[in-house]
Amino acid sequence: MKGDTQAEQNGRSGGGSAAGDTQGGQNEPWGRGRAPFCSVGVSRTTGSVARAAFCSLGVSRTRRRGLADPVLFGESVTDGGIGGAGRDLFAGSVTDETERAHRPRKRRPNAPILAPMQPIDLRSDTVTKPTPEMRRAMAEAEVGDDVFGDDPTVIALEERAAELLGKEAGLFVASGTMGNLVAQMAHLARGQETIAGATAHLVMDEAAGHAVVVGASVRQLPERPDGTIDPAAVVAAFRDPTDLHEPPTGLVALENTHAHSMGQPLTPAYEATIAAIAHERGVPLHIDGARFFNAVVALGVRPSELAAPADSVTFCLSKGLACPVGSVVVGSRDFIARARRARKLLGGGMRQVGILAAAGLVALRDSPAGMIERLAEDHANARRLAEGLAELPGIRSPGGIAQPTDGPLDPDRVRTNFVIFRVERDRAAFLAALAERGVWMVPYPEEQIRAVTHYGIEAADIDRTILAVRDALAATARPATAATAGRGTPEAPPKG
């Protein structure tokens, strides 16, 4: 268009990146710094990094560096902000024709005010917001100094967690990673080794803390599609304690639920089998139960039953239970005493932290007042999403241990709140197109894509997600070749 800059022409044609855009790549949920839109006809900005998502048809976005749309908000965007004093950003910067097109319009009487539409965030269950009851409890929490051991709300949370899981004591920590670290430090001497699954969070996603902080190696074993490790492989993985060349085995760790197998829950019977192997050799069993209560609900067992085989368990409050911060480690009193010292070493000693622990007490209440039983809703929504995705051409099996068979996505693989799949598209382009339609997911290993349901995601959001995926698949479809054009030949999956 006459009067437009080259960057603006590139933005309309899809080529190049506008000035000020971040180079997001596949890890940016908004895709190259652009905001998601839930409808067509909305022009992209060419100079704004901070952007909101709007559900609107035919609304032109601002140029330059405005953070809000003057059409949507009925205000003039100036250097001083919306409605603030300063030079009008549009004055003298564009042609008269374009200036008139971007001039704030008067809203018709009784016309609806367009509000920002929240994106559907399926990146993780860590994005949950605390419930209103949690916020009230946090505001009113009785606090002390937890390092001195006299914060009554923290004490109540630790006692409640230990009671639920049938252990002697508990320890409130800042994160699941910290929970795994203090557990390893309490169980292991430097130079010892942990036996764990090759795709476990402890191995893949904790910045090698087992080596850097704990001073231990990990003997990695392949997991099976049900999230388990072959017990025979666990037996064979124990080191010879008489061989000076080998690190002594000091711990066995399991992940429950198991993320990379699409959130499969491990049963109490399987945990008991692995615990027996470990205990026969004088080694403890630790369970990384970041989503421990998802496994409890999926299996229909009591928390104490699922925790019983383990010497220590850590579970996250800040995932499906919707608390803003924190995890809890449980075990024997002696173990927790060692873990508390390890927490201090890691800089995890917090003071009036009862403000955070109060949310955990709400989450662990007996249902329906708590947040445990409602996890079944997340599981149902994940299954609903998988069933909808499975019907869309271009969605395929995630492969690997998430679904070993190729072909369509199998909804029966969804046992908890994880949905993992692949697309017959360029993955980064698909995720960017999906983000533009107001739905956020994340890339996962082996060209997979992960979606996680959680508190705040309703059935209607799942239905909207399925429609957005359908549209994103259409927008990123590969053009037909001369050999396939007009023949209705299905698109071949990418190699590898």
Side-chain angles (χ1 to χ4, degrees):
M1 180 183 294
K2 182 179 180 181
D4 283 348
T5 66
Q6 183 62 46
E8 288 161 336
Q9 294 172 16
N10 288 342
R12 283 193 301 275
S13 65
S17 69
D21 279 353
T22 61
Q23 300 299 315
Q26 66 183 25
N27 290 325
E28 279 198 21
W30 290 52
R32 300 186 75 75
R34 298 189 176 99
F37 301 99
C38 61
S39 60
V40 297
V42 182
S43 67
R44 293 172 175 167
T45 63
T46 59
S48 174
V49 175
R51 302 177 176 98
F54 297 94
C55 181
S56 174
L57 290 175
V59 178
S60 174
R61 302 299 306 279
T62 62
R63 302 170 184 240
R64 308 304 171 196
R65 304 197 64 80
L67 301 186
D69 193 319
V71 176
L72 294 177
F73 289 89
E75 301 277 1
S76 174
V77 180
T78 66
D79 283 342
I82 300 177
R87 179 179 59 84
D88 189 336
L89 292 178
F90 301 120
S93 62
V94 291
T95 64
D96 290 343
E97 177 184 354
T98 309
E99 181 179 8
R100 285 194 299 273
H102 284 76
R103 187 173 296 151
R105 305 168 189 168
K106 293 183 179 180
R107 191 166 61 88
R108 297 189 307 276
N110 300 321
I113 299 176
L114 297 175
M117 173 168 282
Q118 292 295 323
I120 298 173
D121 194 343
L122 300 175
R123 292 174 298 169
S124 175
D125 44 11
T126 60
V127 304
T128 51
K129 305 297 191 297
T131 68
E133 180 64 20
M134 287 180 185
R135 293 176 186 270
R136 286 192 293 270
M138 293 168 69
E140 299 168 2
E142 185 180 358
V143 298
D145 189 316
D146 184 46
V147 176
F148 285 124
D150 60 18
D151 188 305
T153 307
V154 173
I155 293 171
L157 172 62
E158 292 172 344
E159 291 177 347
R160 172 60 174 163
E163 175 195 17
L164 267 178
L165 274 68
K167 302 300 182 185
E168 292 180 352
L171 179 67
F172 182 54
V173 294
S175 68
T177 294
M178 182 178 285
N180 284 336
L181 279 175
V182 301
Q184 291 173 84
M185 293 170 74
H187 284 308
L188 294 165
R190 293 183 67 83
Q192 287 190 306
E193 185 169 76
T194 297
I195 297 172
T199 65
H201 196 276
L202 182 151
V203 173
M204 294 188 66
D205 301 299
E206 296 184 3
H210 62 85
V212 178
V213 178
V214 184
S217 60
V218 175
R219 189 84 180 262
Q220 302 176 28
L221 302 180
E223 300 102 334
R224 301 181 291 195
D226 62 356
T228 65
I229 304 169
D230 184 352
V234 175
V235 171
F238 274 80
R239 301 288 192 169
D240 179 357
T242 65
D243 189 336
L244 298 179
H245 301 87
E246 298 186 4
T249 303
L251 182 66
V252 177
L254 297 175
E255 181 177 296
N256 197 7
T257 61
H258 185 265
H260 285 267
S261 60
M262 208 176 318
Q264 302 302 313
L266 309 187
T267 66
Y270 172 74
E271 290 180 347
T273 298
I274 300 302
I277 293 170
H279 294 162
E280 286 171 5
R281 292 157 179 80
V283 169
L285 171 65
H286 172 69
I287 293 179
D288 174 7
R291 297 176 176 88
F292 178 84
F293 287 101
N294 290 91
V296 166
V297 170
L299 297 171
V301 299
R302 297 186 309 276
S304 58
E305 183 181 355
L306 194 59
D311 298 276
S312 60
V313 180
T314 181
F315 67 86
C316 287
L317 296 165
S318 58
K319 290 187 171 70
L321 298 182
C323 299
V325 178
S327 292
V328 182
V329 186
V330 297
S332 69
R333 287 188 179 86
D334 288 345
F335 163 79
I336 290 298
R338 297 193 301 272
R340 189 177 297 275
R341 177 175 289 276
R343 186 188 70 173
K344 180 62 176 176
L345 183 150
L346 294 174
M350 297 177 281
R351 302 296 178 172
Q352 287 71 44
V353 74
I355 292 172
L356 297 177
L361 277 173
V362 173
L364 298 182
R365 287 176 180 170
D366 292 328
S367 292
M371 297 294 288
I372 296 173
E373 286 188 11
R374 67 146 302 279
L375 293 171
E377 300 174 20
D378 299 339
H379 301 175
N381 282 332
R383 177 63 184 246
R384 183 188 188 99
L385 175 60
E387 289 173 349
L389 294 180
E391 296 178 356
L392 298 178
I395 299 292
R396 57 185 291 225
S397 162
I401 60 173
Q403 182 184 326
T405 58
D406 204 355
L409 172 65
D410 180 5
D412 287 340
R413 291 291 299 165
V414 177
R415 300 281 306 281
T416 56
N417 65 330
F418 270 41
V419 180
I420 303 175
F421 60 96
R422 285 184 287 181
V423 291
E424 295 174 350
R425 304 288 188 273
D426 177 84
R427 183 176 65 172
F430 169 79
L431 287 171
L434 189 62
E436 289 182 350
R437 287 155 178 81
V439 177
W440 297 352
M441 297 181 187
V442 292
Y444 220 43
E446 302 182 43
E447 283 300 308
Q448 297 167 343
I449 294 170
R450 188 188 77 176
V452 183
T453 54
H454 50 80
Y455 172 71
I457 298 295
E458 308 294 340
D461 298 313
I462 298 301
D463 294 340
R464 180 181 149 203
T465 295
I466 294 168
L467 293 176
V469 169
R470 181 199 65 187
D471 292 347
L473 288 168
T476 55
R478 299 188 181 100
T481 64
T484 62
R487 291 167 51 185
T489 304
E491 192 174 275
K495 295 180 179 180

